[in-house]
Structure formats: C-alpha cells, structure tokens
Amino acid sequence: NAGVMQNPRHLVRRRGQEARLRCSPMKGHSHVYWYRQLPEEGLKFMVYLQKENIIDESGMPKERFSAEFPKEGPSILRIQQVVRGDSAAYFCASSPGEVTEAFFGQGTRLTVV
Amino acid sequence: GNSVTQMEGPVTLSEEAFLTINCTYTATGYPSLFWYVQYPGEGLQLLLKATKADDKGSNKGFEATYRKETTSFHLEKGSVQVSDSAVYFCALSDLSGGSYIPTFGRGTSLIVHP
C-alpha cells in the first residue's frame, strides 16, 4: 500500500506565476488535509477536504488559494499569483476517517523567486 | 477552539540521556492524542498515539501517557540515540468547529550528541 504521494517535491515559481501542488492520498482514505510549514514554525492547518467537498477551509487565505479533491484523481492545492511570502513547505495528509491518525506525504517545497 | 502547547526547543542531550518533551492540550471534546516525528527534509511520521485517558502509547522506546486530569501527553524516552535527532510534534484530533481537524503543536527540535 503506497503512502501519501505528493508531487512535485520541489517547485520553483517566479512571482506572479501559479503553483499547483498535487496529493494522492493512501488507498482507501477519503479525508485529505493540507498544512503549511514555515522554517522554525509548526504546521499551520489550511484546508480539510473529502471527496468532492471542502469541509473546512478556515486556515486558507481568502485570496489566491484554492483546493479541490475531485471524485477521480489527486487533491490539488492551487496558489495563483504567487508572492515571496508563499515560499514554504506544503504537506498533505490523509486519513481513513475522523479522529484517526493522519498519514503525511513528504511535502512540496515551494520557492518563489 | 482546540490547541496544543509544546515546550520550546531545541532540546540538546548527550547520547543515553533521559528525554522528556512536555505537551499540554486544550480541547472541546474528548480528543485522541498523537506524537509525530519529522526528520530533516521529510514529512511527519506517526510515532505513537493514545485514544483514551490513562492509555499509554509506545513505540521504538518512546512512550507517552494520556493524562486527562492534567490535559497532558508528555513524550519520554529512557535512553536517547543520535538517530533520534529530529523535530517532534504533539497533536490531537477532536471535533472543532463542526469538523475533525488534526491540530499540531509548534514542534520541539531534539539534538542528540554522541
């Protein structure tokens, strides 16, 4: 059973470009969470999705950021018109249900130049 | 809302020393509690968990006991190794604002010297 797969592992974008981060959850997992991690800081919750539904996006900036988890295919975190402050490691986690442990991918390290 | 507070790091120890990383939590319900470990450049890996009061989670020589009366879940290891150097995150999963979202502490960096 493959783990949570994130790609790309590293992504470099120029200011103003779009960044697309992909996450394939573990087989059988229908809950997906996205977190952002800045150096020397903890994990900041961004968004919680189930198949075709956004359950909670209270941690996601209102502008430029969006997320989806379609019926088929990976979950996508999309950042439009990136700025230097978006540079961070973005982690996806999945779980088979609520109140169970989350399994993490290896993250996508976004660098905005 | 839910929150997790961990002791600030870095924690620096010599090999074979005793480790304690403190973690306390605030939750609206009855949470499950977790410790995760993150090695450099990697994602988080589950280290251990406990789902009810007085449960002890253990793995690889690490252990933590769910203390409801003190709302704590301190991580301990009797004899650390250089390979234990990593960042450790305490976390809980509980109903918050109508949904279950794993909530993490800020992480505690552990550095073990030979």
Short mmCIF file of all heavy atoms in Angstrom, two decimals, chain A residues 19-79:
data_model
loop_
_atom_site.label_atom_id
_atom_site.label_comp_id
_atom_site.label_asym_id
_atom_site.label_seq_id
_atom_site.Cartn_x
_atom_site.Cartn_y
_atom_site.Cartn_z
N ALA A 19 1.13 28.17 -8.86
CA ALA A 19 1.71 26.92 -8.33
C ALA A 19 0.59 25.91 -8.13
O ALA A 19 -0.46 26.24 -7.56
CB ALA A 19 2.43 27.18 -7.01
N ARG A 20 0.83 24.69 -8.61
CA ARG A 20 -0.14 23.60 -8.43
C ARG A 20 0.56 22.46 -7.70
O ARG A 20 1.53 21.92 -8.18
CB ARG A 20 -0.64 23.11 -9.78
CG ARG A 20 -1.78 23.92 -10.32
CD ARG A 20 -2.26 23.35 -11.65
NE ARG A 20 -3.43 24.07 -12.09
CZ ARG A 20 -4.64 23.55 -12.13
NH1 ARG A 20 -4.83 22.28 -11.82
NH2 ARG A 20 -5.66 24.27 -12.53
N LEU A 21 0.03 22.11 -6.55
CA LEU A 21 0.60 21.07 -5.72
C LEU A 21 -0.39 19.90 -5.69
O LEU A 21 -1.58 20.11 -5.45
CB LEU A 21 0.84 21.58 -4.30
CG LEU A 21 1.98 22.59 -4.07
CD1 LEU A 21 1.78 23.89 -4.82
CD2 LEU A 21 2.13 22.86 -2.58
N ARG A 22 0.14 18.70 -5.91
CA ARG A 22 -0.73 17.53 -6.00
C ARG A 22 -0.51 16.58 -4.84
O ARG A 22 0.60 16.43 -4.34
CB ARG A 22 -0.46 16.80 -7.32
CG ARG A 22 -0.84 17.59 -8.55
CD ARG A 22 -0.45 16.86 -9.82
NE ARG A 22 -0.74 17.65 -11.00
CZ ARG A 22 -0.03 18.69 -11.40
NH1 ARG A 22 1.04 19.05 -10.74
NH2 ARG A 22 -0.38 19.37 -12.47
N CYS A 23 -1.60 15.93 -4.48
CA CYS A 23 -1.54 14.98 -3.37
C CYS A 23 -2.46 13.80 -3.67
O CYS A 23 -3.67 13.97 -3.85
CB CYS A 23 -2.00 15.66 -2.09
SG CYS A 23 -2.27 14.51 -0.70
N SER A 24 -1.87 12.61 -3.71
CA SER A 24 -2.66 11.39 -3.84
C SER A 24 -2.71 10.72 -2.48
O SER A 24 -1.66 10.30 -1.96
CB SER A 24 -2.04 10.46 -4.89
OG SER A 24 -2.07 11.05 -6.16
N PRO A 25 -3.89 10.61 -1.87
CA PRO A 25 -3.97 10.02 -0.54
C PRO A 25 -3.71 8.52 -0.59
O PRO A 25 -3.66 7.91 -1.66
CB PRO A 25 -5.40 10.30 -0.12
CG PRO A 25 -6.16 10.44 -1.40
CD PRO A 25 -5.19 11.03 -2.38
N MET A 26 -3.54 7.94 0.56
CA MET A 26 -3.39 6.48 0.65
C MET A 26 -4.68 5.82 0.18
O MET A 26 -5.78 6.37 0.32
CB MET A 26 -3.08 6.07 2.09
CG MET A 26 -1.69 6.44 2.53
SD MET A 26 -1.34 5.92 4.22
CE MET A 26 -1.27 4.15 4.00
N LYS A 27 -4.53 4.63 -0.35
CA LYS A 27 -5.67 3.89 -0.85
C LYS A 27 -6.69 3.70 0.27
O LYS A 27 -6.33 3.32 1.40
CB LYS A 27 -5.22 2.53 -1.38
CG LYS A 27 -6.30 1.77 -2.12
CD LYS A 27 -5.72 0.48 -2.71
CE LYS A 27 -6.80 -0.29 -3.45
NZ LYS A 27 -6.30 -1.57 -4.00
N GLY A 28 -7.93 4.01 -0.03
CA GLY A 28 -8.99 3.83 0.97
C GLY A 28 -9.20 5.03 1.88
O GLY A 28 -10.11 5.03 2.69
N HIS A 29 -8.36 6.04 1.74
CA HIS A 29 -8.51 7.23 2.57
C HIS A 29 -9.35 8.26 1.82
O HIS A 29 -9.02 8.61 0.68
CB HIS A 29 -7.15 7.85 2.90
CG HIS A 29 -6.37 7.07 3.88
ND1 HIS A 29 -5.25 7.58 4.50
CD2 HIS A 29 -6.53 5.81 4.36
CE1 HIS A 29 -4.76 6.67 5.33
NE2 HIS A 29 -5.53 5.58 5.27
N SER A 30 -10.37 8.78 2.48
CA SER A 30 -11.24 9.75 1.84
C SER A 30 -11.13 11.15 2.45
O SER A 30 -11.81 12.07 2.02
CB SER A 30 -12.70 9.28 1.93
OG SER A 30 -13.06 9.11 3.29
N HIS A 31 -10.27 11.29 3.47
CA HIS A 31 -10.10 12.58 4.13
C HIS A 31 -8.71 13.11 3.81
O HIS A 31 -7.71 12.39 3.98
CB HIS A 31 -10.22 12.43 5.65
CG HIS A 31 -11.55 11.90 6.09
ND1 HIS A 31 -12.44 12.66 6.83
CD2 HIS A 31 -12.13 10.69 5.91
CE1 HIS A 31 -13.52 11.93 7.07
NE2 HIS A 31 -13.36 10.73 6.53
N VAL A 32 -8.64 14.34 3.34
CA VAL A 32 -7.37 14.96 2.98
C VAL A 32 -7.23 16.30 3.69
O VAL A 32 -8.19 17.09 3.76
CB VAL A 32 -7.26 15.16 1.46
CG1 VAL A 32 -6.09 16.07 1.10
CG2 VAL A 32 -7.08 13.81 0.76
N TYR A 33 -6.05 16.54 4.22
CA TYR A 33 -5.74 17.80 4.91
C TYR A 33 -4.50 18.42 4.27
O TYR A 33 -3.55 17.71 3.95
CB TYR A 33 -5.44 17.55 6.39
CG TYR A 33 -6.47 16.71 7.11
CD1 TYR A 33 -6.39 15.33 7.10
CD2 TYR A 33 -7.53 17.30 7.81
CE1 TYR A 33 -7.33 14.54 7.76
CE2 TYR A 33 -8.47 16.52 8.47
CZ TYR A 33 -8.36 15.15 8.44
OH TYR A 33 -9.30 14.38 9.10
N TRP A 34 -4.50 19.72 4.14
CA TRP A 34 -3.32 20.45 3.68
C TRP A 34 -2.82 21.34 4.82
O TRP A 34 -3.61 22.03 5.49
CB TRP A 34 -3.64 21.31 2.47
CG TRP A 34 -3.79 20.55 1.18
CD1 TRP A 34 -4.94 20.06 0.63
CD2 TRP A 34 -2.74 20.22 0.26
NE1 TRP A 34 -4.68 19.44 -0.55
CE2 TRP A 34 -3.34 19.52 -0.81
CE3 TRP A 34 -1.37 20.44 0.24
CZ2 TRP A 34 -2.60 19.03 -1.90
CZ3 TRP A 34 -0.64 19.96 -0.84
CH2 TRP A 34 -1.26 19.27 -1.89
N TYR A 35 -1.48 21.32 4.99
CA TYR A 35 -0.83 22.16 6.01
C TYR A 35 0.32 22.91 5.36
O TYR A 35 0.93 22.45 4.39
CB TYR A 35 -0.26 21.29 7.13
CG TYR A 35 -1.28 20.60 8.00
CD1 TYR A 35 -1.82 19.38 7.63
CD2 TYR A 35 -1.70 21.17 9.20
CE1 TYR A 35 -2.76 18.74 8.43
CE2 TYR A 35 -2.64 20.53 10.01
CZ TYR A 35 -3.16 19.32 9.61
OH TYR A 35 -4.09 18.69 10.42
N ARG A 36 0.64 24.04 5.96
CA ARG A 36 1.81 24.80 5.52
C ARG A 36 2.80 24.87 6.69
O ARG A 36 2.38 25.07 7.84
CB ARG A 36 1.42 26.21 5.10
CG ARG A 36 2.58 27.08 4.66
CD ARG A 36 2.15 28.28 3.88
NE ARG A 36 1.31 29.20 4.62
CZ ARG A 36 0.84 30.32 4.11
NH1 ARG A 36 1.13 30.66 2.85
NH2 ARG A 36 0.07 31.12 4.82
N GLN A 37 4.06 24.71 6.36
CA GLN A 37 5.10 24.76 7.39
C GLN A 37 6.16 25.78 6.97
O GLN A 37 6.77 25.64 5.92
CB GLN A 37 5.75 23.39 7.61
CG GLN A 37 6.75 23.38 8.75
CD GLN A 37 7.34 22.00 8.97
OE1 GLN A 37 7.62 21.26 8.03
NE2 GLN A 37 7.53 21.63 10.24
N LEU A 38 6.36 26.76 7.83
CA LEU A 38 7.42 27.74 7.60
C LEU A 38 8.60 27.38 8.49
O LEU A 38 8.42 26.75 9.54
CB LEU A 38 6.90 29.15 7.91
CG LEU A 38 5.85 29.68 6.93
CD1 LEU A 38 5.15 30.89 7.49
CD2 LEU A 38 6.50 30.00 5.59
N PRO A 39 9.81 27.79 8.11
CA PRO A 39 11.00 27.48 8.92
C PRO A 39 10.80 27.92 10.37
O PRO A 39 10.31 29.01 10.63
CB PRO A 39 12.11 28.28 8.24
CG PRO A 39 11.65 28.43 6.83
CD PRO A 39 10.15 28.54 6.90
N GLU A 40 11.18 27.05 11.28
CA GLU A 40 11.12 27.33 12.72
C GLU A 40 9.68 27.50 13.22
O GLU A 40 9.47 27.96 14.34
CB GLU A 40 11.92 28.58 13.09
CG GLU A 40 13.35 28.55 12.60
CD GLU A 40 14.13 27.36 13.10
OE1 GLU A 40 13.92 26.98 14.27
OE2 GLU A 40 14.92 26.77 12.33
N GLU A 41 8.71 27.15 12.41
CA GLU A 41 7.32 27.22 12.84
C GLU A 41 6.68 25.85 12.73
O GLU A 41 7.18 24.96 12.09
CB GLU A 41 6.54 28.24 12.00
CG GLU A 41 7.01 29.66 12.21
CD GLU A 41 6.07 30.64 11.54
OE1 GLU A 41 4.93 30.28 11.24
OE2 GLU A 41 6.53 31.78 11.29
N GLY A 42 5.55 25.71 13.38
CA GLY A 42 4.83 24.45 13.33
C GLY A 42 4.03 24.32 12.06
O GLY A 42 4.22 25.04 11.09
N LEU A 43 3.12 23.37 12.10
CA LEU A 43 2.24 23.12 10.97
C LEU A 43 0.98 23.96 11.11
O LEU A 43 0.28 23.88 12.11
CB LEU A 43 1.83 21.65 10.95
CG LEU A 43 2.90 20.67 10.51
CD1 LEU A 43 2.46 19.27 10.79
CD2 LEU A 43 3.20 20.83 9.04
N LYS A 44 0.70 24.73 10.07
CA LYS A 44 -0.49 25.56 10.09
C LYS A 44 -1.55 24.93 9.19
O LYS A 44 -1.32 24.73 8.00
CB LYS A 44 -0.15 26.97 9.61
CG LYS A 44 -1.31 27.94 9.67
CD LYS A 44 -0.88 29.34 9.27
CE LYS A 44 -2.01 30.35 9.44
NZ LYS A 44 -3.18 30.04 8.61
N PHE A 45 -2.68 24.60 9.76
CA PHE A 45 -3.77 23.99 9.01
C PHE A 45 -4.28 24.95 7.94
O PHE A 45 -4.43 26.15 8.18
CB PHE A 45 -4.92 23.62 9.96
CG PHE A 45 -6.21 23.31 9.25
CD1 PHE A 45 -6.38 22.11 8.58
CD2 PHE A 45 -7.25 24.23 9.24
CE1 PHE A 45 -7.57 21.82 7.93
CE2 PHE A 45 -8.44 23.95 8.59
CZ PHE A 45 -8.60 22.75 7.93
N MET A 46 -4.54 24.41 6.76
CA MET A 46 -5.08 25.24 5.69
C MET A 46 -6.50 24.81 5.33
O MET A 46 -7.43 25.59 5.42
CB MET A 46 -4.20 25.16 4.45
CG MET A 46 -2.79 25.66 4.68
SD MET A 46 -1.81 25.59 3.18
CE MET A 46 -2.52 26.96 2.26
N VAL A 47 -6.66 23.54 4.92
CA VAL A 47 -7.95 23.12 4.40
C VAL A 47 -8.13 21.62 4.61
O VAL A 47 -7.17 20.85 4.61
CB VAL A 47 -8.08 23.48 2.90
CG1 VAL A 47 -7.01 22.79 2.07
CG2 VAL A 47 -9.46 23.20 2.34
N TYR A 48 -9.40 21.23 4.80
CA TYR A 48 -9.79 19.83 5.01
C TYR A 48 -10.83 19.48 3.95
O TYR A 48 -11.86 20.18 3.82
CB TYR A 48 -10.33 19.68 6.42
CG TYR A 48 -11.09 18.40 6.74
CD1 TYR A 48 -10.79 17.18 6.14
CD2 TYR A 48 -12.12 18.43 7.68
CE1 TYR A 48 -11.49 16.03 6.46
CE2 TYR A 48 -12.82 17.28 8.02
CZ TYR A 48 -12.50 16.10 7.41
OH TYR A 48 -13.19 14.95 7.73
N LEU A 49 -10.56 18.42 3.20
CA LEU A 49 -11.46 18.03 2.12
C LEU A 49 -11.82 16.56 2.24
O LEU A 49 -11.04 15.74 2.72
CB LEU A 49 -10.80 18.25 0.75
CG LEU A 49 -10.16 19.59 0.46
CD1 LEU A 49 -8.65 19.50 0.53
CD2 LEU A 49 -10.57 20.10 -0.91
N GLN A 50 -13.03 16.26 1.77
CA GLN A 50 -13.40 14.90 1.46
C GLN A 50 -13.76 14.89 -0.02
O GLN A 50 -13.84 15.94 -0.66
CB GLN A 50 -14.58 14.46 2.33
CG GLN A 50 -14.22 14.34 3.80
CD GLN A 50 -15.39 13.90 4.66
OE1 GLN A 50 -16.31 13.24 4.20
NE2 GLN A 50 -15.35 14.27 5.93
N LYS A 51 -13.96 13.71 -0.55
CA LYS A 51 -14.20 13.61 -2.00
C LYS A 51 -15.26 14.62 -2.46
O LYS A 51 -16.40 14.59 -1.98
CB LYS A 51 -14.65 12.20 -2.36
CG LYS A 51 -13.51 11.19 -2.43
CD LYS A 51 -12.63 11.38 -3.65
CE LYS A 51 -11.61 10.26 -3.79
NZ LYS A 51 -10.72 10.46 -4.93
N GLU A 52 -14.85 15.50 -3.35
CA GLU A 52 -15.71 16.50 -4.00
C GLU A 52 -16.26 17.55 -3.03
O GLU A 52 -17.13 18.34 -3.42
CB GLU A 52 -16.87 15.82 -4.73
CG GLU A 52 -16.42 14.87 -5.84
CD GLU A 52 -17.58 14.30 -6.63
OE1 GLU A 52 -18.16 13.29 -6.18
OE2 GLU A 52 -17.90 14.87 -7.69
N ASN A 53 -15.80 17.55 -1.81
CA ASN A 53 -16.33 18.54 -0.84
C ASN A 53 -15.21 19.20 -0.05
O ASN A 53 -14.27 18.53 0.37
CB ASN A 53 -17.27 17.86 0.16
CG ASN A 53 -18.60 17.50 -0.47
OD1 ASN A 53 -19.27 18.34 -1.06
ND2 ASN A 53 -18.98 16.24 -0.36
N ILE A 54 -15.33 20.48 0.14
CA ILE A 54 -14.47 21.19 1.08
C ILE A 54 -15.22 21.23 2.41
O ILE A 54 -16.31 21.78 2.51
CB ILE A 54 -14.18 22.63 0.60
CG1 ILE A 54 -13.37 22.59 -0.70
CG2 ILE A 54 -13.42 23.40 1.68
CD1 ILE A 54 -13.14 23.95 -1.31
N ILE A 55 -14.60 20.61 3.43
CA ILE A 55 -15.26 20.52 4.73
C ILE A 55 -14.94 21.74 5.58
O ILE A 55 -15.80 22.29 6.27
CB ILE A 55 -14.85 19.23 5.47
CG1 ILE A 55 -15.08 18.00 4.58
CG2 ILE A 55 -15.59 19.12 6.79
CD1 ILE A 55 -16.52 17.83 4.12
N ASP A 56 -13.67 22.14 5.54
CA ASP A 56 -13.25 23.28 6.37
C ASP A 56 -12.08 23.95 5.69
O ASP A 56 -11.07 23.31 5.45
CB ASP A 56 -12.86 22.77 7.77
CG ASP A 56 -12.61 23.88 8.77
OD1 ASP A 56 -11.99 24.91 8.39
OD2 ASP A 56 -13.02 23.74 9.94
N GLU A 57 -12.21 25.20 5.36
CA GLU A 57 -11.12 25.95 4.72
C GLU A 57 -10.76 27.17 5.56
O GLU A 57 -10.27 28.17 5.03
CB GLU A 57 -11.49 26.36 3.30
CG GLU A 57 -12.79 27.14 3.20
CD GLU A 57 -13.14 27.47 1.75
OE1 GLU A 57 -12.29 27.30 0.85
OE2 GLU A 57 -14.27 27.92 1.53
N SER A 58 -10.99 27.07 6.85
CA SER A 58 -10.80 28.23 7.73
C SER A 58 -9.35 28.68 7.81
O SER A 58 -9.08 29.81 8.19
CB SER A 58 -11.33 27.90 9.14
OG SER A 58 -10.67 26.77 9.67
N GLY A 59 -8.40 27.80 7.47
CA GLY A 59 -6.99 28.18 7.56
C GLY A 59 -6.40 28.66 6.25
O GLY A 59 -5.20 28.97 6.19
N MET A 60 -7.20 28.73 5.24
CA MET A 60 -6.67 29.09 3.92
C MET A 60 -6.94 30.57 3.64
O MET A 60 -8.04 31.05 3.87
CB MET A 60 -7.34 28.24 2.85
CG MET A 60 -6.55 28.13 1.58
SD MET A 60 -6.87 26.60 0.71
CE MET A 60 -8.55 26.87 0.22
N PRO A 61 -5.93 31.28 3.12
CA PRO A 61 -6.16 32.68 2.75
C PRO A 61 -7.32 32.79 1.77
O PRO A 61 -7.51 31.94 0.90
CB PRO A 61 -4.84 33.09 2.10
CG PRO A 61 -3.82 32.16 2.68
CD PRO A 61 -4.54 30.86 2.89
N LYS A 62 -8.08 33.86 1.91
CA LYS A 62 -9.30 34.01 1.09
C LYS A 62 -8.97 34.25 -0.37
O LYS A 62 -9.72 33.87 -1.27
CB LYS A 62 -10.15 35.16 1.62
CG LYS A 62 -10.73 34.93 3.00
CD LYS A 62 -11.86 33.95 2.96
CE LYS A 62 -12.59 33.81 4.28
NZ LYS A 62 -11.83 33.10 5.31
N GLU A 63 -7.84 34.87 -0.61
CA GLU A 63 -7.49 35.20 -2.00
C GLU A 63 -6.31 34.36 -2.45
O GLU A 63 -5.44 33.98 -1.67
CB GLU A 63 -7.13 36.69 -2.09
CG GLU A 63 -8.31 37.59 -1.73
CD GLU A 63 -7.97 39.06 -1.87
OE1 GLU A 63 -6.81 39.38 -2.18
OE2 GLU A 63 -8.87 39.89 -1.66
N ARG A 64 -6.29 34.07 -3.71
CA ARG A 64 -5.21 33.39 -4.44
C ARG A 64 -5.10 31.90 -4.14
O ARG A 64 -4.48 31.18 -4.91
CB ARG A 64 -3.85 34.06 -4.17
CG ARG A 64 -3.79 35.53 -4.52
CD ARG A 64 -2.35 36.07 -4.43
NE ARG A 64 -1.80 35.97 -3.09
CZ ARG A 64 -0.85 35.11 -2.73
NH1 ARG A 64 -0.33 34.27 -3.62
NH2 ARG A 64 -0.40 35.11 -1.49
N PHE A 65 -5.64 31.41 -3.04
CA PHE A 65 -5.51 29.99 -2.68
C PHE A 65 -6.83 29.28 -2.91
O PHE A 65 -7.90 29.79 -2.58
CB PHE A 65 -5.13 29.86 -1.20
CG PHE A 65 -3.70 30.18 -0.89
CD1 PHE A 65 -3.28 31.51 -0.89
CD2 PHE A 65 -2.79 29.18 -0.58
CE1 PHE A 65 -1.95 31.81 -0.60
CE2 PHE A 65 -1.47 29.48 -0.29
CZ PHE A 65 -1.05 30.80 -0.29
N SER A 66 -6.73 28.07 -3.47
CA SER A 66 -7.91 27.23 -3.62
C SER A 66 -7.49 25.78 -3.55
O SER A 66 -6.32 25.45 -3.75
CB SER A 66 -8.63 27.52 -4.94
OG SER A 66 -7.78 27.21 -6.03
N ALA A 67 -8.44 24.92 -3.22
CA ALA A 67 -8.14 23.49 -3.11
C ALA A 67 -9.33 22.71 -3.62
O ALA A 67 -10.48 23.15 -3.54
CB ALA A 67 -7.83 23.11 -1.66
N GLU A 68 -9.03 21.52 -4.13
CA GLU A 68 -10.08 20.63 -4.58
C GLU A 68 -9.66 19.18 -4.37
O GLU A 68 -8.48 18.86 -4.27
CB GLU A 68 -10.39 20.87 -6.06
CG GLU A 68 -9.24 20.58 -7.00
CD GLU A 68 -9.62 20.78 -8.46
OE1 GLU A 68 -10.70 21.32 -8.75
OE2 GLU A 68 -8.82 20.37 -9.33
N PHE A 69 -10.65 18.32 -4.31
CA PHE A 69 -10.41 16.88 -4.19
C PHE A 69 -11.49 16.22 -5.04
O PHE A 69 -12.56 15.86 -4.55
CB PHE A 69 -10.51 16.45 -2.73
CG PHE A 69 -10.09 15.03 -2.47
CD1 PHE A 69 -9.38 14.28 -3.39
CD2 PHE A 69 -10.40 14.45 -1.24
CE1 PHE A 69 -8.99 12.97 -3.13
CE2 PHE A 69 -10.02 13.14 -0.96
CZ PHE A 69 -9.32 12.41 -1.90
N PRO A 70 -11.22 16.06 -6.34
CA PRO A 70 -12.25 15.57 -7.25
C PRO A 70 -12.56 14.10 -7.02
O PRO A 70 -11.80 13.38 -6.35
CB PRO A 70 -11.64 15.79 -8.64
CG PRO A 70 -10.17 15.82 -8.41
CD PRO A 70 -9.96 16.38 -7.03
N LYS A 71 -13.64 13.67 -7.62
CA LYS A 71 -14.05 12.27 -7.49
C LYS A 71 -12.95 11.34 -7.99
O LYS A 71 -12.70 10.28 -7.43
CB LYS A 71 -15.34 12.06 -8.29
CG LYS A 71 -15.99 10.70 -8.07
CD LYS A 71 -17.30 10.62 -8.83
CE LYS A 71 -17.95 9.26 -8.62
NZ LYS A 71 -19.21 9.14 -9.37
N GLU A 72 -12.33 11.72 -9.07
CA GLU A 72 -11.22 10.95 -9.61
C GLU A 72 -9.97 11.82 -9.59
O GLU A 72 -10.03 12.99 -9.93
CB GLU A 72 -11.53 10.51 -11.05
CG GLU A 72 -12.79 9.67 -11.20
CD GLU A 72 -12.65 8.29 -10.60
OE1 GLU A 72 -11.50 7.83 -10.46
OE2 GLU A 72 -13.69 7.69 -10.27
N GLY A 73 -8.85 11.23 -9.23
CA GLY A 73 -7.60 11.97 -9.29
C GLY A 73 -7.18 12.55 -7.96
O GLY A 73 -7.88 12.43 -6.93
N PRO A 74 -6.02 13.19 -7.96
CA PRO A 74 -5.45 13.68 -6.71
C PRO A 74 -6.13 14.95 -6.21
O PRO A 74 -6.87 15.61 -6.95
CB PRO A 74 -4.00 13.98 -7.09
CG PRO A 74 -4.07 14.36 -8.54
CD PRO A 74 -5.16 13.49 -9.12
N SER A 75 -5.83 15.28 -4.97
CA SER A 75 -6.22 16.60 -4.44
C SER A 75 -5.21 17.62 -4.96
O SER A 75 -4.02 17.33 -5.10
CB SER A 75 -6.20 16.56 -2.91
OG SER A 75 -6.47 17.84 -2.39
N ILE A 76 -5.70 18.80 -5.25
CA ILE A 76 -4.85 19.87 -5.77
C ILE A 76 -4.96 21.09 -4.86
O ILE A 76 -6.07 21.52 -4.52
CB ILE A 76 -5.29 20.30 -7.19
CG1 ILE A 76 -5.37 19.11 -8.15
CG2 ILE A 76 -4.38 21.40 -7.73
CD1 ILE A 76 -4.04 18.58 -8.59
N LEU A 77 -3.80 21.62 -4.49
CA LEU A 77 -3.75 22.93 -3.84
C LEU A 77 -3.17 23.90 -4.87
O LEU A 77 -2.10 23.67 -5.41
CB LEU A 77 -2.86 22.88 -2.59
CG LEU A 77 -2.69 24.21 -1.84
CD1 LEU A 77 -4.00 24.65 -1.21
CD2 LEU A 77 -1.62 24.09 -0.76
N ARG A 78 -3.92 24.95 -5.13
CA ARG A 78 -3.55 25.88 -6.18
C ARG A 78 -3.31 27.25 -5.58
O ARG A 78 -4.12 27.76 -4.81
CB ARG A 78 -4.69 25.95 -7.20
CG ARG A 78 -4.45 26.81 -8.40
CD ARG A 78 -5.68 26.75 -9.29
NE ARG A 78 -5.58 27.63 -10.44
CZ ARG A 78 -6.62 28.21 -11.03
NH1 ARG A 78 -7.86 28.00 -10.57
NH2 ARG A 78 -6.45 28.98 -12.06
N ILE A 79 -2.17 27.82 -5.93
CA ILE A 79 -1.84 29.16 -5.47
C ILE A 79 -1.62 30.03 -6.70
O ILE A 79 -0.71 29.79 -7.51
CB ILE A 79 -0.56 29.18 -4.61
CG1 ILE A 79 -0.62 28.10 -3.51
CG2 ILE A 79 -0.38 30.56 -3.97
CD1 ILE A 79 0.67 27.92 -2.74
#
